[in-house]
Amino acid sequence: MRYDPIDPQLFISNRKRFIEHLPAGALAVFNANDIMPTNADGTLPLVQNRDLFYLSGVDQEETILVLFPDAYNPAHREILFVVETNEHLARWEGAKLSQDQATKQTGIQTVFWLSDFEKVFKDLMSQAKTVFLNSNEHLRASSPVETRDQRFRKWIMEQYPMHHYDRSAPIMHRLRAIKSPIEVEIMRKASAINTKAFNRVLKFLKPGVMEYELEAEFIHEYKRNGSPDFSYTPIIASGASACVLHYIENDKECKDGDLVLFDCGNWYANYASDVTRCFPVNGRFSDRQKQVYNAVLRVMKASMELLCPGNQLHEYHKEVGELMTKELLDLKLIDAIDVKNQDPNWPAYKKYFMHGTSHYIGLDVHDVGLWTEKMEAGNVFTCEPGIYIPEEGIGIRIEDDIVIGEKENINLTAGIPKEVEEIEEMMNS
């Protein structure tokens, strides 16, 4: 594996907290994600089901976790099913987890081969009253592909139609929203790698460089530090392309006098980093670029102060909107009449800042969490205000990853320069 072994106590603790939410007689099942095909006999690398990983730490396909705290046999209260390794698999793909290795990695004492699943599961279902099934209930989730969890749901309801069924997702969203110290430390490692990558690119950027060359610098630094890939399709947008929020072509030349917006993140041990910076191609901000940049930076700094226990995300975004309105008035991009006549559902500032400021981050870039409840210590959010002025060819967004603390927040990505003077000094040293 590319990352340092994770203390299995993390997964033991996660399972314990999940089980505390189950009613008497309940059983829960979690499936690994599929390895997705491409064309011919090609496949993509496995992206593990994050809930399964959160509860077990297993990064292997075709894995099933069953949690049944009221099982008659104490050995059946936590069961992991894994693919049985053999000489053929070992020769062609590399050996899979042995039962002893799976126990060491997860803290689960009972490990069966996947071929035993239906036989063992039939005994468990004879005792269970309710089955908690997993599904992707992220607010933005939308996929035409039938997942392993969905196929399992069809199978179990056909085989066991008289049982009661319930959802694991609400429990997982609550648990995963609060990061433990072990998780924060993993995210700190992901951010440290991303910091190295941004600082490398900061020194590499110059007029005439292609956006995809800058992308290559990121992936070089990620992989040489144990990070397997970008955590999302990178945005490296020079000039007016920065005003396209999801610009991913990364195929243009970086020209003298333009800014480049970098929205780039990486994985480490399945945890994400997500950072945005804007750097001047020639190493110097113009007066107008500096004016707009510093407006975004002021909103960002004030917004980070609002990320605190007791605040609520929807209210927080309204407060950030007020901060941005003031800056846009000062930049003369909107005026008092625009504000007076604004639609409350789409305020005047949205013309130049049309996206949200913060989202949960963790095992997913847009991690699951509780948007209707108040912020708590242990939540980790991005903070990413921006101003986009297509008519001027200026698009600026600045983003960091923030761990909310009881008394003081932790900025995981503070090591990546974002002050104008600091950026210019590094680019010209």
Side-chain angles (χ1 to χ4, degrees):
M1 83 180 47
R2 291 171 184 258
Y3 53 85
D4 294 333
I6 300 171
D7 185 345
Q9 189 57 48
L10 171 63
F11 312 115
I12 294 169
S13 174
N14 290 346
R15 291 193 298 274
K16 181 176 183 292
R17 291 189 301 125
F18 177 83
I19 285 168
E20 289 171 353
H21 288 81
L22 294 181
L27 171 156
V29 185
F30 296 86
N31 285 279
N33 278 345
D34 288 313
I35 294 179
M36 300 302 294
T38 55
N39 296 286
D41 61 348
T43 59
L44 296 170
L46 174 69
V47 177
Q48 186 58 289
N49 181 285
R50 297 313 192 206
D51 291 326
L52 176 72
F53 184 85
Y54 182 83
L55 295 169
S56 71
V58 173
D59 242 338
Q60 185 170 290
E61 70 278 9
E62 297 187 81
T63 303
I64 303 176
L65 172 66
V66 179
L67 300 177
F68 188 12
D70 294 332
Y72 175 77
N73 184 345
H76 289 174
R77 292 171 185 171
E78 293 185 341
I79 306 176
L80 192 71
F81 296 86
V82 295
V83 173
E84 183 174 5
T85 195
N86 57 51
E87 186 176 342
H88 177 78
L89 277 174
R91 174 76 65 180
W92 286 88
E93 300 177 18
K96 303 300 180 182
L97 287 173
S98 70
Q99 291 168 318
D100 287 343
Q101 288 171 329
T103 292
K104 182 178 179 181
Q105 188 169 323
T106 66
I108 296 171
Q109 300 305 310
T110 303
V111 180
F112 288 118
W113 299 129
L114 186 61
S115 56
D116 294 324
F117 176 78
E118 290 193 27
K119 177 181 67 176
V120 174
F121 194 67
K122 187 172 184 179
D123 177 51
L124 301 179
M125 288 296 281
S126 72
Q127 305 168 47
K129 297 177 181 178
T130 304
V131 181
F132 277 71
L133 297 174
N134 200 33
S135 59
N136 181 2
E137 298 185 22
H138 190 282
L139 292 172
R140 298 183 183 177
S142 176
S143 172
V145 178
E146 187 175 50
T147 66
R148 197 174 187 87
D149 274 329
Q150 289 170 324
R151 296 197 303 275
F152 181 81
R153 182 160 64 249
K154 290 180 181 178
W155 175 83
I156 190 175
M157 288 182 174
E158 181 179 308
Q159 295 294 316
Y160 303 96
M162 302 304 289
H163 281 71
H164 296 288
Y165 292 92
D166 209 331
R167 299 152 54 225
S168 293
I171 302 173
M172 295 305 300
H173 288 206
R174 182 172 297 278
L175 297 182
R176 284 174 53 186
I178 305 294
K179 305 304 188 283
S180 70
I182 294 176
E183 290 180 285
V184 171
E185 186 56 33
I186 296 171
M187 294 186 72
R188 194 190 298 274
K189 290 181 180 180
S191 295
I193 295 170
N194 210 12
T195 297
K196 287 183 178 180
F198 266 91
N199 288 341
R200 175 192 182 101
V201 167
L202 187 63
K203 302 290 289 183
F204 183 83
L205 177 60
K206 59 184 179 295
V209 164
M210 301 299 290
E211 293 166 349
Y212 53 75
E213 292 182 83
L214 297 164
E215 183 177 338
E217 295 297 309
F218 275 99
I219 198 65
H220 177 92
E221 199 66 24
Y222 289 164
K223 286 185 178 291
R224 71 191 293 266
N225 284 281
S227 179
D229 207 344
F230 288 98
S231 51
Y232 50 92
T233 305
I235 298 168
I236 302 176
S238 60
S241 295
C243 297
V244 180
L245 297 184
H246 290 159
Y247 170 86
I248 57 173
E249 285 78 6
N250 302 346
D251 60 359
K252 295 181 175 59
E253 180 183 342
C254 300
K255 296 180 179 178
D256 192 358
D258 281 345
L259 298 177
V260 184
L261 186 152
F262 298 89
D263 191 338
C264 297
N266 62 302
W267 298 114
Y268 181 79
N270 290 308
Y271 284 82
S273 174
D274 179 5
V275 176
T276 307
R277 291 290 188 270
C278 289
F279 301 145
V281 173
N282 63 14
R284 299 287 179 191
F285 289 87
S286 71
D287 289 344
R288 179 57 170 172
Q289 289 169 347
K290 189 182 301 185
Q291 186 184 32
V292 178
Y293 185 94
N294 282 328
V296 175
L297 187 58
R298 283 191 293 271
V299 172
M300 183 195 197
K301 290 177 178 178
S303 299
M304 287 195 290
E305 295 295 321
L306 299 173
L307 289 171
C308 59
N311 206 346
Q312 199 273 340
L313 275 168
H314 294 292
E315 296 304 315
Y316 160 81
H317 280 102
K318 291 178 184 177
E319 294 175 287
V320 175
E322 293 172 4
L323 294 169
M324 184 59 77
T325 297
K326 179 182 182 304
E327 293 294 344
L328 293 176
L329 286 168
D330 290 345
L331 289 169
K332 302 191 184 313
L333 290 170
I334 61 175
D335 58 31
I337 294 175
D338 293 325
V339 175
K340 181 181 178 181
N341 296 330
Q342 67 187 358
D343 179 352
N345 295 316
W346 192 257
Y349 76 84
K350 288 284 189 180
K351 181 178 180 181
Y352 296 99
F353 174 40
M354 59 293 297
H355 58 79
T357 309
S358 293
H359 59 76
Y360 288 96
I361 182 171
L363 282 167
D364 286 300
V365 176
H366 291 169
D367 208 12
V368 295
L370 304 173
W371 282 75
T372 58
E373 299 194 11
K374 292 183 177 180
M375 300 176 189
E376 299 180 58
N379 289 153
V380 186
F381 294 108
T382 62
C383 183
E384 49 181 307
I387 294 176
Y388 310 92
I389 317 172
E391 59 270 26
E392 297 183 34
I394 295 176
I396 294 171
R397 180 166 67 252
I398 313 171
E399 176 183 21
D400 278 322
D401 301 340
I402 309 298
V403 183
I404 293 184
E406 290 285 358
K407 296 181 179 178
E408 188 175 29
N409 292 348
I410 301 169
N411 186 342
L412 296 173
T413 48
I416 305 171
K418 59 178 178 281
E419 298 288 344
V420 166
E421 296 76 17
E422 188 180 14
I423 291 168
E424 292 183 340
E425 182 179 351
M426 282 193 69
M427 292 189 72
N428 291 284
S429 60

